[in-house]
Amino acid sequence: MHLILLRTALAGGLATAALTACGSAGGTSSDAAEGKITIVSTVAPITSIVANIAGDRARIEGVVPEGTNSHTFEPPPQVSRVMEDADIVFVNGLQLEEPTFELAEENAPDDATIVKLGDEVLPESDYLYDFSFPKEDGKPNPHLWTDPTYAIKYADVIKDTLVERDGQNAAYYEQNHETFVAKATALSDALKADQATIPAGKKQLLTYHDAYAYFAKTYGWEVIGAVQPSNFEDPQPKEIARIIDQVRERELPVIFGSEVFPSKVLEQIAKETGARYEDTLRDDDLPGEPGNPEHSWLGLMRYDYVTMINGLGGTTKALDALDVSDGAPDRATYPQ
Ligand SMILES: [Zn+2]
């Protein structure tokens, strides 16, 4: 209510000056003039899910550039200006983007809604601690969005938040939500169909970046290791030797690097074990460029699943045939 009153007051002579002052990256003053709400989000896959629900009825600003290490990302000072305009801020939470969350708390208007999606959908009893996220560090594995069942839960929270903050567009958000859930469910079904073609007992992942823990639990995969240590430095030689033994013992045909974190260590492990080094998995850098149809959460996850399944000797007929285009127009800003 407070927000609406404020906007009405601004509709007088002050509007032009106020809008010029607020005109930060990406949005246009015409968005604000149309009364569109402003949403700030963090990593690109979350921005994409938000865009699938909010469509063209909101101004959406992603603030974590694609291809950066989102786990250690420190937002530059201009992000505080973006936060000043926010009606809603969506972060992943589970301690992934603490500096950005703190910036939101300090700079977003008092009546802004700040939502930690992961904390909303995952009870503490279901937190996973593992290779790069050991329990003694106190930070759970934050990568819920690589599992479609959790991405759908994120979409539920995003829809509810939008309906609450912008009730006049409720029917639009609900329709977009329904479309997104159908698309994410189709992705999940295609994944289940195609992963059944992997030779028995071979749904095993050795990755560099530790982004598939919840996915593995839901879909019956085994993450045998994630090479990246919790401090995001290179692993110790003793640890590398242990991983080499494990790859030989399991006769892994392929080990999975990350496009965001090129690794000489994985190259070395591949050379010594004969496993193929597939270095293009990605957890928060969407394929293609903003505006391309595959530049979406759906495109990202399809890419990863196809890469994993093909690498392990399966086929991907169902995933290849999937339509990964967005269900609603994506006008979000994705910093590169
Ligand atoms: Zn990550």
Side-chain angles (χ1 to χ4, degrees):
M1 222 42 214
H2 174 69
L3 193 73
I4 291 160
L5 288 174
L6 185 72
R7 284 231 169 91
T8 313
L10 283 176
L14 283 173
T16 314
L19 290 174
T20 309
C22 299
S24 59
T28 63
S29 53
S30 69
D31 286 343
E34 285 169 26
K36 286 186 185 179
I37 58 167
T38 295
I39 304 173
V40 178
S41 74
T42 56
V43 290
I46 291 179
T47 305
S48 171
I49 298 172
V50 170
N52 267 272
I53 313 298
D56 56 10
R57 303 286 165 91
R59 185 183 141 211
I60 307 168
E61 298 265 359
V63 296
V64 179
E66 293 188 72
T68 53
N69 181 351
S70 57
H71 299 262
T72 56
F73 175 71
E74 295 279 349
Q78 63 264 33
V79 172
S80 63
R81 296 256 302 282
V82 178
M83 293 298 182
E84 284 170 14
D85 289 346
D87 297 300
I88 305 171
V89 181
F90 290 115
V91 302
N92 181 72
L94 298 175
Q95 302 185 52
L96 173 66
E97 336 90 317
E98 284 301 285
T100 307
F101 172 72
E102 281 161 24
L103 205 69
E105 285 216 307
E106 284 161 20
N107 294 282
D110 288 344
D111 62 353
T113 307
I114 305 177
V115 184
K116 287 182 161 177
L117 293 164
D119 299 63
E120 290 293 323
V121 308
L122 191 70
E124 239 179 284
S125 53
D126 290 348
Y127 284 11
L128 293 181
Y129 296 93
D130 58 356
F131 311 96
S132 306
F133 303 95
K135 188 144 199 190
E136 60 267 28
D137 286 6
K139 283 184 164 196
N141 193 316
H143 298 96
L144 286 185
W145 69 86
T146 59
D147 175 340
T149 65
Y150 284 112
I152 288 172
K153 289 182 180 172
Y154 279 18
D156 296 344
V157 174
I158 291 163
K159 183 259 293 169
D160 289 345
T161 309
L162 285 169
V163 166
E164 199 184 305
R165 285 303 301 244
D166 188 27
Q168 59 177 347
N169 287 311
Y172 177 77
Y173 298 140
E174 273 157 12
Q175 179 59 51
N176 286 348
H177 171 260
E178 212 171 286
T179 304
F180 178 79
V181 171
K183 282 174 173 274
T185 305
L187 172 72
S188 176
D189 291 346
L191 164 64
K192 285 182 199 160
D194 287 344
Q195 72 176 25
T197 66
I198 296 173
K202 290 290 178 195
K203 288 205 312 260
Q204 297 176 337
L205 293 176
L206 177 78
T207 64
Y208 188 74
H209 192 54
D210 192 5
Y212 305 95
Y214 299 93
F215 156 83
K217 192 178 170 199
T218 300
Y219 292 92
W221 290 60
E222 187 188 359
V223 182
I224 69 159
V227 175
Q228 190 170 39
S230 54
N231 61 5
F232 298 100
E233 307 275 317
D234 264 336
Q236 300 297 319
K238 210 174 99 190
E239 177 61 8
I240 299 169
R242 198 187 61 77
I243 293 165
I244 288 171
D245 286 346
Q246 219 175 2
V247 172
R248 286 198 178 120
E249 205 177 292
R250 303 274 190 137
E251 297 174 347
L252 290 186
V254 59
I255 57 178
F256 294 100
S258 161
E259 182 260 357
V260 182
F261 302 99
S263 167
K264 288 268 173 243
V265 170
L266 271 200
E267 245 171 62
Q268 181 197 340
I269 295 170
K271 205 181 269 174
E272 296 211 16
T273 60
R276 188 167 68 81
Y277 174 32
E278 169 58 64
D279 63 355
T280 63
L281 286 191
R282 30 178 85 218
D283 69 317
D284 51 21
D285 188 9
L286 308 182
E289 301 297 322
N292 295 159
E294 74 275 19
H295 186 268
S296 64
W297 172 83
L298 283 155
L300 170 73
M301 294 332 305
R302 193 252 298 268
Y303 179 85
D304 278 350
Y305 304 154
V306 163
T307 303
M308 290 173 183
I309 292 169
N310 283 329
L312 291 164
T315 56
T316 52
K317 217 172 115 201
L319 284 164
D320 290 341
L322 206 67
D323 171 15
V324 294
S325 64
D326 287 315
D330 183 352
R331 304 269 159 77
T333 301
Y334 293 91
Q336 299 295 300

